[in-house]
Amino acid sequence: MGVNAAFWSGRRVLLTGHTGFKGGWLSVWLQSLGAQVYGIALAPDSEPSLWQATGLADRVDGSITDLRDQQALSDRVLAFAPEVVFHLAAQPLVRASYRDPVETYATNVMGTVNLLDALRRCASVEAIVVITTDKCYENREWHWPYRETDRLGGFDPYSNSKACAELVCASFRDAFFKPAGVALATARAGNVIGGGDWARERLVPDVLRAWDAGEELSLRYPNATRPWQHVLDPLNGYLLLAEHLLTASPGDATAWNFGPDSSGVASVAEVVARMASYWRDGAARWCSATDPQPHEAGLLALDSSRARQLLGWQPRWTLDVALKQTLAWHQAWRSGDDTHALCLQQIALHQGESI
């Protein structure tokens, strides 16, 4: 099922985290559908960034506002009066959460509380999609994928803060939004990749930085297995979910998984080996780190049967296609091409449209 452009045309959409990697891609997509997008986020945390590379600062209306500033956040939300909300703003990195757990919880938990508290006083809101993570589950290192009804948990502060955000959403849903007729759902996706991600301590950006510089890449968790997917696959799911929520029964306003099929579940070492096979000069080098590393889950996969059955969603790009599209975007950026236009081209290709 494809995204319904008529649904989004002219619709007022609030997007938190619009200066980030996923938020930037979603901004481009929503604007291409004719939505009125307003973003709330911090300034980009990398240089370069998708926000800068695609010129989104001149294309998307928004505010540089900290989710932890309750009054400023509330003022921005109420002034814009959104109909649909996508909440992506977060401290998104596991290793950063070990260095600063307080900031991680303050942003991911209290930032979500502040946003939902503002939205419950906003009469225009009809649907809210809060993006959490596949890591919000209590990871038992088992070999079958997690379902939406499995127990929440999280070993590291990032994962745990996202599980806490899920509980916050459940409380606000029952206490405030459901009685008001507003649909609030959460979305859990796998490890996303794609052009324009320059985050530190994230696999694909680390690969590209090292190999662009002709350096050997040190893999921290070469045997860790993750669900990998191009960023457009879960974003497609978020858009379909938001459309669904406006006509769905209250029971559908809960948690949803958007993960790749089994072919997208691969180890870190396997992903790097595949990237090396596509690298332009064949000089890619990597090794396994020997110094101690903080704990991260070793085995993780998602069961997305619910989204497939009720939304008609399914991953459209295999891992190989996702990697090739990521490398194509990166090379185009290095060549000075118009990356905003390239984002639109890849969105059209993903949706099966002619370019």
Side-chain angles (χ1 to χ4, degrees), residues 60 119 128 155-156 163 200-201 251 285 324 335 345:
V60 180
L119 291 173
I128 306 166
F155 181 99
D156 58 87
R200 293 286 173 182
E201 300 176 331
R285 297 177 295 125
K324 289 177 181 178
S335 300
Q345 291 171 8

Side-chain angles (χ1 to χ4, degrees), residues 53-77:
T54 55
L56 285 173
D58 298 322
R59 302 174 188 272
V60 180
D61 189 20
S63 169
I64 301 300
T65 300
D66 195 323
L67 295 180
R68 295 168 292 183
D69 187 337
Q70 184 178 13
Q71 188 60 57
L73 177 62
S74 180
D75 290 345
R76 305 291 186 275
V77 169

Side-chain angles (χ1 to χ4, degrees), residues 245-295:
L245 290 177
L246 266 65
T247 59
S249 65
D252 288 348
T254 53
W256 296 77
N257 285 342
F258 296 98
D261 57 28
S262 58
S263 65
V265 179
S267 70
V268 166
E270 182 180 353
V271 170
V272 174
R274 293 193 194 190
M275 290 185 69
S277 70
Y278 308 136
W279 193 246
R280 56 185 179 271
D281 57 12
R285 297 177 295 125
W286 68 96
C287 64
S288 297
T290 57
D291 54 320
Q293 302 293 325
H295 174 273

Side-chain angles (χ1 to χ4, degrees), residues 148-205:
E148 290 90 344
T149 53
D150 284 327
R151 185 171 178 173
L152 300 175
F155 181 99
D156 58 87
Y158 165 73
S159 303
N160 187 265
S161 71
K162 287 296 194 174
C164 292
E166 288 275 354
L167 294 176
V168 166
C169 290
S171 174
F172 270 76
R173 178 189 301 121
D174 293 337
F176 304 113
F177 291 114
K178 190 181 294 184
V182 177
L184 166 60
T186 58
R188 306 162 181 175
N191 285 32
V192 295
I193 60 176
D197 186 6
W198 282 280
R200 293 286 173 182
E201 300 176 331
R202 193 177 283 164
L203 179 62
V204 171

